[in-house]
Amino acid sequence: MVAAALLALVVTACGPESPRFQASDVTGVAFGHDFKLTDHNGKPRTLADFRGKAVVMFFGYTQCPDVCPTTLSDLAAALQKLGTDANRVQVLFVTIDPERDTPELLSQYVPAFNPTFLGLYGDAAATAATAREFKVLYQKQPGSTPGSYSMDHSAGTFIFDPQGRLRLYVTHGQGPDVYAHDIRELLRATS
């Protein structure tokens, strides 16, 4: 019995090292499997379109004063840290405000952080369905005029491995180093 345990330990030590993530490992969760939205160029998109790349998905809106631009800036900095591995990553910004976030606005706002980033949108029903699939909460908060409302929303980021499996959840404010580290680990583990 002791010999079998030692053999198992030796075999495990010689095998490939499991990724050591800094964000929350959510591998195997029963949500966040797919979406059907349109990118800011007018092309219908699903998760399968990005197979072979790590996919980083964040829900927000262009009028967001702090969380959304900070997250997109952190993701842009993370891609710089990844160097050539950044070519194996696709960042998706999903609007939770399709009323104001037109394809034209998304096409100006999202790529301003990095030209490879894509903005995704849907009508109110598609937005709600996608948010439900990812357990993202959002709610309109009235402003002083009808068009000046704000949106309360969940502020985490989802990361899929190149096979399209949801693997990580990064809470807001963890910074570009956590994104870069964990994306590099995902890419290394699936090469």
Side-chain angles (χ1 to χ4, degrees), residues 20-25 56 74-75 77-79 81-82 157 159 168-186:
R20 289 191 167 91
F21 299 122
Q22 295 176 358
S24 298
D25 186 339
V56 181
D74 285 352
L75 289 169
L79 262 56
K81 291 176 181 292
L82 288 172
T157 303
I159 303 179
L168 298 167
Y169 181 79
V170 184
T171 56
H172 174 66
Q174 288 193 275
D177 291 336
V178 169
Y179 286 117
H181 174 274
D182 285 3
I183 291 168
R184 189 174 284 117
E185 285 288 300
L186 266 185

Side-chain angles (χ1 to χ4, degrees), residues 34-50:
D34 206 356
F35 56 85
K36 290 180 183 173
L37 297 167
T38 304
D39 73 22
H40 64 248
N41 298 309
K43 183 175 182 179
R45 295 293 195 161
T46 66
L47 190 57
D49 294 329
F50 307 105

